[in-house]
Amino acid sequence: MHKPRMLIVYFFLLFISVIVIVFICTTFRMDQMNINKEGVSDFNTGWLFENHDGVNENITLPVHFLSGTEKNQIATISKVLPTDLKNGMTLSFSTYHSTVQAFVENKLIYQFGLNNQFKFGKSPACTAWHFIDIPDGSQGKQITLKFSSPYAKYAGTFNSIIIGTKNASVNNMVMFFMPSMIISFLVLSFGVMLLLIFIIARKNLKQNLSLLYQALFAISISGSALAEIPVFQLIFNNVLVLGYIMYFSLMLCPIPYLLFVKSVYARRHEKLYDIFCVGAAINFMVCTFLQVANILDFPETIEAIHFVLIASLLLSIFTVIENALKYKDRTAKPFLIGTAFMFVFYLIDMIRYYSGVYQDGALISRAGLLVFIAILAKDTVSQHFSMIELGMKARMLESLAYMDILTQKKNRNAFEKEMESLNVSDTGCETTIVTFDLNNLKDVNDNFGHKYGDQLIIAAADAIQETFNFCGDCFRIGGDEFVVIARNSNEDQLNACFDRLMRTLDDYNGSHSNKIEIAFGYAKHELNDGDLFQTLNRADKLMYKQKREMKMTDLKQTHENIST
């Protein structure tokens, strides 16, 4: 199957992603956020904010773009713990690309991102969820949280804080993100299902790769959506890896999406799709290089990533509208509705992001993605199953074209195709042609009917195929004529086959009133043969010579019987 260059580029970029992620897993060390055992309430009021210049301000969480915060500077919020606070309580909250320290009365009880060993990148993680155990006996004491981010837009963001037991805090987070997890897993499952269908049916789909493109897009985009869900932080315990998976998947997904739209709907502007695919690949390489070279991190190039996504969606919407209006393509309508949903929902999430709402950045777009996938699911699967069915019918017809219906052996078309193939491949010099002819078929047809003659033909074909099975296939090339193309067989092997054939015919003739009598001849391809068809002629001559001898023997036997 021919693979477009852009698909090869996609797999190359995917390979780079895997290499970087494996490198991070094996070389970077992250502060561990262990979850211990063991009711939750908001803990958002009464906080005192203090910036690096010592300026104080009372705040209620959450807050975004808080004035007085700067990148790489410590921002502090503090609060006196309630006097009726129960022991065994935990504070839980999320941060974006920030280090965290927690103190109770100046005693460090938690830190994240300060002892990490970074080979590249400035921040400890994309989104990190923190669970801070409050020491027993901390009632009435001051708790202080210190944050620092290398990026200005995250430095002034403080999310909601929840207080409760450890189990309750974890359950609260899991339940909050459960709808997002379900949607993302549905999209991932659909992508995997399409990929499996493509793998199973790729022979019948021939060069149609649209199913593969849609599968890769669903898997890529669901990878980004799943990596942004902090529940997986509890499983992998390496938020940095999850951050890289999110960015890599987000940068990769436009390529299979554009290839899918191009293969299904782009009747014009195909070069424009190629340009956009190249642009997405360049964006991946440039952003990754800037990240690993410590020039610009992914959060600082996110605008370029968003631009590629929006541009890809707009191009696809334009193409589908053109198909629906200009070419009256009815199949474009479901895709247009799904794409419009996805575009609007992605736009809402981007507005949320640039408004300072960073928590679960794909919250709305996941729903749009699910609508997009659900609308296309029925049409895509049914269309490709129709293609699979047509492919199977075509292969069945092709099989019938080379199959003798009566004997279920290969026919003359298959024989001539095989001969031509051997002539072209220059392997004819290792080939022996064996020809067979039934001597008494006409007598059986005339005296007993064609039904019994057909039984004789079938039995003869089965006997030849069975005894010459290890030498080659049996071809029925005429009414009572058969050929075996024996490759890499020497004289002794052929003689052993002839002996087995005679024994098989003797066994058959001993239990049937209509006897099988077969004349045969064979010839090995020689250098002075122009091609295998000349070898066939020589084998035919020897077969007819034997046929005449067998008839003379039968006549002689008949005269002797009459005389006696």
Side-chain angles (χ1 to χ4, degrees), residues 3 8 18 32 52 62 151 260 267 276 279 285 496 511 530 534:
K3 291 184 175 60
I8 297 173
V18 172
Q32 306 250 328
H52 64 283
Y151 316 112
F260 169 74
R267 304 189 185 192
F276 269 61
M285 296 299 295
S511 58
Q534 291 192 12

Side-chain angles (χ1 to χ4, degrees), residues 250-360:
L250 201 60
M251 290 188 292
L252 283 171
C253 67
I255 295 176
Y257 175 78
L258 290 167
L259 291 174
F260 169 74
V261 179
K262 175 188 173 184
S263 65
V264 177
Y265 299 106
R267 304 189 185 192
R268 300 169 57 209
H269 317 300
E270 292 187 346
K271 287 189 176 181
L272 187 59
Y273 275 87
D274 293 337
I275 292 171
F276 269 61
C277 285
V278 171
I282 292 173
N283 177 69
F284 179 98
M285 296 299 295
V286 170
C287 291
T288 303
F289 171 76
L290 294 175
Q291 171 77 20
V292 300
N294 290 312
I295 299 172
L296 289 174
D297 284 2
F298 287 137
E300 296 170 297
T301 58
I302 190 66
E303 290 82 2
I305 299 172
H306 286 165
F307 174 80
V308 172
L309 288 171
I310 291 294
S312 300
L313 287 171
L314 287 174
L315 177 61
S316 66
I317 290 173
F318 169 78
T319 300
V320 177
I321 291 176
E322 182 183 50
N323 270 24
L325 298 179
K326 187 174 181 178
Y327 301 108
K328 309 300 180 184
D329 185 356
R330 294 182 179 180
T331 63
K333 185 178 179 180
F335 182 82
L336 179 60
I337 295 173
T339 306
F341 268 101
M342 188 165 60
F343 175 76
V344 171
F345 285 17
Y346 263 102
L347 204 58
I348 293 173
D349 266 340
M350 288 185 187
I351 292 172
R352 290 176 63 243
Y353 176 83
Y354 290 107
S355 299
V357 182
Y358 305 121
Q359 183 163 302
D360 197 7

Side-chain angles (χ1 to χ4, degrees), residues 378-397:
K378 181 178 180 297
D379 288 340
T380 299
V381 174
S382 62
Q383 286 175 16
H384 282 85
F385 270 115
S386 296
M387 292 173 60
I388 293 169
E389 186 177 355
L390 288 173
M392 292 176 67
K393 287 181 178 178
R395 292 205 316 189
M396 185 181 299
L397 291 173

Side-chain angles (χ1 to χ4, degrees), residues 42-257:
D42 291 336
F43 202 61
N44 294 324
T45 60
W47 288 93
L48 181 66
F49 163 73
E50 181 181 347
N51 66 13
H52 64 283
D53 293 327
V55 178
N56 296 331
E57 179 184 351
N58 290 316
I59 61 172
T60 298
L61 305 178
V63 293
H64 308 289
F65 302 124
L66 187 63
S67 60
T69 56
E70 297 179 13
K71 66 178 183 180
N72 296 317
Q73 299 295 330
I74 294 177
T76 303
I77 60 173
S78 58
K79 178 179 179 176
V80 176
L81 294 169
T83 56
D84 59 350
L85 183 70
K86 296 179 181 179
N87 288 331
M89 302 302 279
T90 296
L91 293 184
S92 62
F93 56 91
S94 61
T95 58
Y96 317 112
H97 302 281
S98 297
T99 62
V100 180
Q101 287 180 297
F103 301 84
V104 172
E105 296 291 348
N106 298 318
K107 181 181 179 181
L108 181 67
I109 61 171
Y110 176 88
Q111 68 176 13
F112 170 78
L114 295 172
N115 296 326
N116 299 323
Q117 303 173 6
F118 297 127
K119 296 294 187 301
F120 42 77
K122 308 183 189 77
S123 68
C126 181
T127 299
W129 203 276
H130 309 273
F131 296 90
I132 303 175
D133 295 327
I134 302 174
D136 293 346
S138 298
Q139 296 85 346
K141 295 181 180 180
Q142 180 173 282
I143 185 167
T144 302
L145 304 176
K146 294 184 177 182
F147 305 90
S148 178
S149 175
Y151 316 112
K153 58 185 174 183
Y154 300 121
T157 297
F158 302 94
N159 290 323
S160 296
I161 297 177
I162 299 296
I163 190 168
T165 63
K166 179 63 68 69
N167 278 345
S169 299
V170 173
N171 288 338
N172 177 72
M173 183 191 72
V174 172
M175 294 308 297
F176 180 82
F177 289 101
M178 185 61 68
S180 298
M181 288 179 59
I182 292 173
I183 292 173
S184 300
F185 271 119
L186 285 173
V187 175
L188 177 62
S189 300
F190 180 75
V192 172
M193 178 191 71
L194 290 182
L195 184 60
L196 291 175
I197 292 174
F198 174 80
I199 292 172
I200 294 170
R202 63 188 184 278
K203 291 182 179 179
N204 294 313
L205 295 176
K206 298 187 181 297
Q207 293 188 3
N208 191 321
L209 299 176
S210 60
L211 193 66
L212 175 62
Y213 298 147
Q214 192 170 353
L216 294 176
F217 169 69
I219 292 171
S220 296
I221 199 66
S222 62
S224 174
L226 285 168
E228 200 170 357
I229 299 174
V231 174
F232 291 98
Q233 172 185 314
L234 308 179
I235 301 172
F236 298 106
N237 206 24
N238 193 327
V239 289
L240 191 62
V241 169
L242 293 174
Y244 274 85
I245 291 174
M246 185 198 74
Y247 282 113
F248 282 144
S249 300
L250 201 60
M251 290 188 292
L252 283 171
C253 67
I255 295 176
Y257 175 78

Side-chain angles (χ1 to χ4, degrees), residues 474-508:
C474 172
F475 300 84
R476 184 189 180 196
I477 62 171
D480 57 356
E481 298 176 7
F482 300 89
V483 175
V484 168
I485 302 177
R487 301 184 59 189
N488 301 315
S489 299
N490 56 38
E491 192 81 16
D492 292 338
Q493 291 171 324
L494 289 172
N495 287 331
C497 289
F498 291 132
D499 290 341
R500 285 197 300 272
L501 177 62
M502 293 299 104
R503 289 195 298 272
T504 301
L505 295 180
D506 288 342
D507 291 341
Y508 179 87

Side-chain angles (χ1 to χ4, degrees), residues 401-418:
Y402 294 104
M403 181 71 68
D404 178 59
I405 303 300
L406 177 64
T407 63
Q408 293 298 298
K409 304 298 184 289
K410 294 181 179 180
N411 63 12
R412 188 175 190 89
N413 292 335
F415 170 71
E416 292 182 352
K417 182 179 178 182
E418 181 73 10

